[in-house]
Amino acid sequence: MTAALERLKELLGEPACWGWARPRLWEAAEEHLGIRLPADYKAFLDLYGPGAFDGFLSMDRPMDGTADELERLWPTSGRKPHLDDPDGCPFTFHPQPGGLIEWGGEEDGTTYYFLPEEPDPADWRVVVETDEGEWHEAPGPITEFLLNLAEGPHRPTFLGRYRPGPTLRYHQTSTP
């Protein structure tokens, strides 16, 4: 477990009912994507399950590993319908080499992606598309990104509207 994940666990507390790994589901997801996902991302979701980080950033994970579920979570078409205008997005999408892979989102339409340009998934940066159509990059890995959201001092400026409450929470959206 990374130091950032340990610190998140201290801040969030023990998960209500999740807390076990499902390597078979991650293997199916990685086979579907044709790429390894960051270990800290998988570890966080193995620990806390699908839900919303501090009630605003929703995250999901495979629950049954079916082809339909995996395609819903990580479409392999390489297209984002709202970005048909090539000038509207400075990035490509997976399965293009180095294309963005979605990992989370907000109700307002803000979307969070991995930028898989580095060979080691632990080195991937985070890209955020805001609800206003602005694009921002932030350092990864994902658990450090989440920790920066909660504690700063490197909280991304584009998330100015988000301020963690006195108690950080993770709200699970489904049970194992």
Side-chain angles (χ1 to χ4, degrees):
M1 201 174 288
T2 67
L5 184 54
E6 285 288 341
R7 179 64 183 139
L8 284 169
K9 190 175 173 186
E10 289 173 20
L11 293 170
L12 294 169
E14 289 293 323
C17 65
W18 201 266
W20 65 79
R22 293 204 172 86
R24 176 188 64 76
L25 296 176
W26 289 119
E27 289 166 8
E30 292 172 334
E31 184 177 321
H32 170 77
L33 287 164
I35 194 168
R36 282 184 311 126
L37 292 166
D40 69 323
Y41 167 70
K42 296 183 291 187
F44 181 87
L45 286 171
D46 281 345
L47 186 61
Y48 287 97
F53 181 80
D54 215 22
F56 87 101
L57 193 168
S58 295
M59 300 169 67
D60 210 347
R61 63 156 291 149
M63 299 289 288
D64 58 29
T66 63
D68 288 342
E69 177 193 53
L70 296 172
E71 185 64 21
R72 178 185 57 79
L73 291 171
W74 298 290
T76 56
S77 67
R79 292 195 58 214
K80 298 292 280 186
H82 71 290
L83 297 172
D84 283 337
D85 175 10
D87 296 328
C89 178
F91 300 95
T92 61
F93 289 89
H94 189 76
Q96 297 297 319
L100 298 178
I101 300 170
E102 188 174 332
W103 62 263
E106 299 178 37
E107 287 182 8
D108 69 3
T110 297
T111 308
Y112 295 77
Y113 302 94
F114 294 118
L115 179 59
E117 292 182 329
E118 303 298 327
D120 184 349
D123 297 330
W124 291 356
R125 296 180 56 77
V126 171
V127 170
V128 180
E129 175 195 8
T130 69
D131 60 327
E132 293 92 21
E134 298 171 344
W135 293 88
H136 303 275
E137 285 187 49
I142 188 175
T143 51
E144 288 184 25
F145 177 80
L146 295 174
L147 190 56
N148 279 331
L149 292 181
E151 292 189 319
H154 306 293
R155 183 177 300 120
T157 57
F158 59 86
L159 292 174
R161 67 186 174 282
Y162 167 70
R163 292 285 181 249
T167 304
L168 193 66
R169 300 189 190 286
Y170 189 81
H171 305 279
Q172 292 177 333
T173 55
S174 85
T175 57

